[in-house]
Amino acid sequence: MRIGELSGRTGVSQRLLRYYEEQGLLRPVRLTSGYREYREDDVRLVGRIRCLLAAGLNTTTIGTLLPCLRDEDERLVPTCPDTLAELRRERDRISDAIDGLEQSRSMLDTVIGAGTAAGVFHGSAEG
């Protein structure tokens, strides 16, 4: 299938599919005409990529994990021994980022609370 059909079937733009190819996540066959030819399996592969991106993984990490994941009942299942450890490291990284964001929000809440207590205007900055 051509890129337009893959785009239509996955809901992913052609531009993004080309990006996935640049990142080594998709490997379509190149015809002598220069057109990309995708396989039926690429529809599921794009779904896996989208799932992992939504989980907060970057394309480099996804590239290393893709060969070690399979689809089972609409979920991804690890198949390589080191995959769980890598996924746990990624979860820990995301948890650390969440902790940092929660600390930032708390600091902002403190500043906002101090401004509210001081009777500072609500709205755009006035100088």
Side-chain angles (χ1 to χ4, degrees):
M1 83 185 81
R2 299 273 171 82
I3 195 168
E5 183 179 348
L6 182 62
S7 175
R9 291 183 60 189
T10 61
V12 175
S13 72
Q14 292 182 29
R15 181 173 173 246
L16 202 46
L17 292 172
R18 285 187 206 97
Y19 175 73
Y20 295 165
E21 182 182 352
E22 289 170 12
Q23 298 301 304
L25 303 177
L26 280 176
R27 293 182 180 92
V29 174
R30 283 290 189 157
L31 304 177
T32 56
S33 62
Y35 288 108
R36 295 166 175 87
E37 186 70 26
Y38 294 92
R39 298 168 303 278
E40 188 64 32
D41 287 348
D42 289 330
V43 174
R44 286 184 295 283
L45 181 58
V46 169
R48 283 185 215 123
I49 293 166
R50 300 298 296 165
C51 179
L52 295 169
L53 285 168
L57 304 183
N58 62 46
T59 56
T60 301
T61 301
I62 291 171
T64 62
L65 292 176
L66 275 176
C68 292
L69 296 169
R70 74 170 191 275
D71 295 312
E72 185 178 288
D73 298 325
E74 297 190 26
R75 64 185 176 155
L76 294 178
V77 178
T79 59
C80 300
D82 296 335
T83 303
L84 284 177
E86 178 67 22
L87 291 170
R88 285 185 179 112
R89 278 191 295 278
E90 287 298 317
R91 185 190 58 208
D92 291 345
R93 178 189 60 79
I94 291 168
S95 292
D96 289 346
I98 290 169
D99 291 345
L101 287 170
E102 287 176 340
Q103 289 174 6
S104 295
R105 182 178 57 200
S106 178
M107 293 173 115
L108 283 173
D109 286 345
T110 300
V111 173
I112 290 167
T116 302
V120 174
F121 294 95
H122 301 297
S124 62
E126 297 179 4

